Amino acid sequence: MRIIKNIGIALIALLSLSGCDSWLDINQSPNSVNEVEPQFLFGYAITSWSGNRTGGDSYLPIELMNQTAASGGSFGWGYAEDRYDISPYSTGNAWKMYYATSGANLKEAIKIAEENGDSNIAAQCKIAFASMFYECTMIWGDVPFEQAWTEENYPKFDTQESILNNLIAMLDEAINQIDESNNIKITLEDAFFSGDLNKWKKLANSMKYKIAMVMVDADPTKADLIAQLVKEDLLTSSDNVEFPYYDESGHKNPKYRLFEKYNGGQNTWIFANTIILDDMMKPLDDPRIPIYFAPGKEAVVGDDYYKGVETATEADDTHSLIRVGTILRADAPDLILSSHEIKFLIAETYARGLGMSANLVEADKYFKEGLQEALSYYGVDQSDIDTFVAKPELDLKSVTNPLNVLRVQQYVDLQDRPLEAWVQMRRSGAKGSEIPNLSTPNGADAPDGEIARRWDYPNNELSGNKNGPKVLPKMWESMWFDK
């Protein structure tokens, strides 16, 4: 199957997204490919990317499948996704986004920018592409890369290891292309940084670091790169990578729109999972509990006022739901990469001694900074932040197993970023000892003791590409990075 460049279609689609912010301004002659400018391809690509990340095709099935939320069974959303029954529409639409819309548009934007000598624009597009396509291989593992977006009708599937190395190389290229003295860059269509090239450099360094941390258990040689990147200019709390949404018709966060369109703006379908709420947050009296979750309408004040639901289990009105107005709100931005996620990775680097001697003092320092930023991001009062961060159970210098403490907080922070929570769980330890150590959901289509570690390839790709895998991996089979 040829992975095509849907430029005209992409720009037509972008017309329907015009609205309140200037980054959605678009070419007024969308059907004329000769008039396409790379910034408009970029604008459509990141809009499509975020729409998939936060909507019913990726956000919802992954959070139920990976048990960062619970469906509540027939009382709530239904058993499908938390039993690993992922709709072919979800897999197909996500694949199409990575290849035929966002991926194709960013690749074309890079080509045009480099032909025009616009190195900053090319760099911005490469960094966005690497950040986006990293997710694709985290979902499927081996996928087409080197022969994708070419005239090859049947692109070969590249290994996950080679793809991740190619993404690091692409980020290096982008960093070397950035020229902050050159004012030719994407600004109005840059919903992330409005053309701030220094922030784009920080994102490139941070993505290189994040990718290397995913790779290091399967490729220990990445430890030296990790030790080098810790000293580079990485994202800070003012550099969080967010795609904005607004409480205005046509511009609301897609995860909120699901509930607005089909349930009157209320969430009676998606529940707190016991793994995060009861096992990870309640023992520490985590102040994010009332921000993440709302008590059931028949909840009784006391220890079970906030009460999670086990995966693939029937809920009732005493169980807590994902809260509308905070996690599920119309103007909630799509957080793609945060400073606190990076701080936690730095803490992990020092705690594990990756490319350096282990140093729990430095690990605790960055862990505390990450906790401060994570709680602040979700609106916790500073006094409550100070109390929480000072808990002795969160002192990496003195606890029995500092890595376990760190990894619990990494996972809790990613409750509303289910794809990243899924990656974090898989990379957190050897198979069977990850944090959290998930169990096979009751009724799931997987052998007992196995959990979902990848999505099935879309049927369209398998039927149309003779170079697809001859032996298809099962959903519970580990990817290359997942050692």
Side-chain angles (χ1 to χ4, degrees):
M1 178 191 70
R2 179 181 299 174
I3 298 172
I4 59 173
K5 303 182 179 81
N6 287 333
I7 302 167
I9 294 173
L11 290 173
I12 292 169
L14 187 54
L15 274 170
S16 68
L17 297 173
S18 60
C20 50
D21 250 30
S22 56
W23 52 263
L24 285 175
D25 291 344
I26 52 92
N27 191 330
Q28 296 304 309
S29 299
N31 293 319
S32 176
V33 173
N34 291 332
E35 297 182 28
V36 170
E37 297 180 42
Q39 61 264 37
F40 301 131
L41 298 171
F42 172 92
Y44 172 73
I46 64 171
T47 302
S48 176
W49 175 27
S50 180
N52 185 272
R53 281 174 48 86
T54 55
D57 286 327
S58 290
Y59 177 91
L60 190 58
I62 291 176
E63 77 168 347
L64 294 174
M65 176 198 71
N66 188 53
Q67 307 181 44
T68 55
S71 73
S74 60
F75 188 83
W77 182 258
Y79 286 111
E81 287 90 348
D82 58 9
R83 289 179 170 173
Y84 305 160
D85 181 10
I86 308 300
S87 165
Y89 294 104
S90 292
T91 59
N93 288 340
W95 186 274
K96 180 181 177 182
M97 182 277 294
Y98 287 117
Y99 284 101
T101 52
S102 295
N105 278 271
L106 286 171
K107 280 289 189 176
E108 186 68 12
I110 292 167
K111 177 176 176 286
I112 295 170
E114 294 193 326
E115 287 173 350
N116 294 340
D118 296 333
S119 62
N120 287 332
I121 294 176
Q124 289 169 278
C125 293
K126 287 179 181 179
I127 297 166
F129 178 90
S131 302
M132 176 202 71
F133 203 77
Y134 156 84
E135 297 179 358
C136 182
T137 187
M138 292 296 102
I139 293 172
W140 283 287
D142 298 352
V143 293
F145 184 79
E146 290 187 5
Q147 293 180 352
W149 313 285
T150 70
E151 295 306 309
E152 172 57 57
N153 287 323
Y154 307 107
K156 69 180 179 69
F157 280 55
D158 297 287
T159 67
Q160 183 175 71
E161 179 182 14
S162 69
I163 292 167
L164 293 173
N165 279 320
N166 274 307
L167 294 180
I168 289 175
M170 180 180 286
L171 292 165
D172 280 331
E173 287 177 10
I175 291 168
N176 291 332
Q177 283 182 298
I178 290 177
D179 178 4
E180 294 189 55
S181 66
N182 183 350
N183 288 325
I184 298 176
K185 57 188 178 180
I186 300 173
T187 53
L188 296 181
E189 299 80 12
D190 178 4
F192 301 142
F193 300 133
S194 301
D196 188 325
L197 296 175
N198 184 51
K199 291 187 177 183
W200 277 101
K201 278 186 179 179
K202 290 182 180 181
L203 171 55
N205 283 327
S206 298
M207 275 307 304
K208 282 176 59 182
Y209 179 46
K210 179 174 175 174
I211 292 170
M213 289 293 287
V214 166
M215 297 178 74
V216 71
D217 290 315
D219 178 8
T221 66
K222 288 294 184 289
D224 290 339
L225 175 61
I226 287 167
Q228 170 194 327
L229 287 167
V230 163
K231 300 174 184 177
E232 296 290 340
D233 205 7
L234 303 174
L235 294 174
T236 66
S237 58
S238 62
D239 309 321
N240 287 337
V241 187
E242 298 178 324
F243 188 91
Y245 290 100
Y246 306 94
D247 192 5
E248 298 178 8
S249 179
H251 304 285
K252 298 176 183 179
N253 189 301
K255 64 185 178 185
Y256 171 79
R257 291 208 306 266
L258 284 172
F259 298 91
E260 181 182 50
K261 182 175 181 179
Y262 297 108
N263 205 28
Q266 301 300 308
N267 174 26
T268 58
W269 299 332
I270 309 298
F271 293 82
N273 197 299
T274 55
I275 293 165
I276 283 185
L277 173 55
D278 297 86
D279 298 345
M280 293 182 164
M281 299 183 77
K282 286 173 71 172
L284 290 173
D285 194 21
D286 193 309
R288 288 167 290 188
I289 289 174
I291 296 171
Y292 282 10
F293 309 116
K297 63 182 180 182
E298 292 186 7
V300 177
V301 174
D303 290 341
D304 284 338
Y305 186 57
Y306 290 97
K307 182 171 68 172
V309 182
E310 292 184 9
T311 302
T313 301
E314 198 79 356
D316 60 38
D317 281 331
T318 68
H319 290 105
S320 299
L321 297 127
I322 307 298
R323 184 178 286 278
V324 173
T326 53
I327 298 299
L328 299 174
R329 72 176 198 271
D331 63 347
D334 174 17
L335 181 60
I336 292 171
L337 185 60
S338 72
S339 172
H340 40 277
E341 181 183 356
I342 296 299
K343 292 284 176 60
F344 288 144
L345 290 176
I346 296 173
E348 181 183 339
T349 297
Y350 281 109
R352 295 177 62 182
L354 295 173
M356 61 183 74
S357 299
N359 186 331
L360 287 179
V361 173
E362 284 296 292
D364 188 67
K365 169 191 168 185
Y366 285 102
F367 177 57
K368 295 291 199 298
E369 289 179 8
L371 281 176
Q372 289 268 354
E373 292 181 11
L375 273 67
S376 178
Y377 184 84
Y378 286 104
V380 177
D381 290 340
Q382 188 59 51
S383 60
D384 292 332
I385 293 175
D386 294 340
T387 299
F388 184 73
V389 172
K391 288 179 179 288
E393 300 95 324
L394 295 174
D395 186 347
L396 299 189
K397 303 185 303 298
S398 60
V399 294
T400 302
N401 195 327
L403 269 178
N404 284 6
V405 171
L406 168 59
R407 283 168 172 158
V408 165
Q409 293 306 315
Q410 286 174 303
Y411 198 78
V412 170
D413 176 52
L414 297 171
Q415 188 281 328
D416 188 43
R417 298 174 60 203
L419 174 56
E420 291 308 318
W422 188 25
V423 176
Q424 172 59 29
M425 180 277 296
R426 288 177 287 170
R427 62 170 288 274
S428 66
K431 185 176 180 179
S433 61
E434 298 101 338
I435 294 178
N437 187 9
L438 302 180
S439 300
T440 311
N442 180 39
D445 184 16
D448 188 43
E450 300 288 358
I451 58 173
R453 297 181 179 276
R454 62 173 75 227
W455 272 9
D456 292 333
Y457 294 111
N459 290 332
N460 287 355
E461 180 65 18
L462 296 177
S463 62
N465 187 350
K466 65 183 182 182
N467 287 328
K470 299 300 183 283
V471 178
L472 297 179
K474 304 295 186 182
M475 282 188 73
W476 57 84
E477 292 182 16
S478 297
M479 294 181 181
W480 170 82
F481 84 91
D482 183 10
K483 302 298 182 184

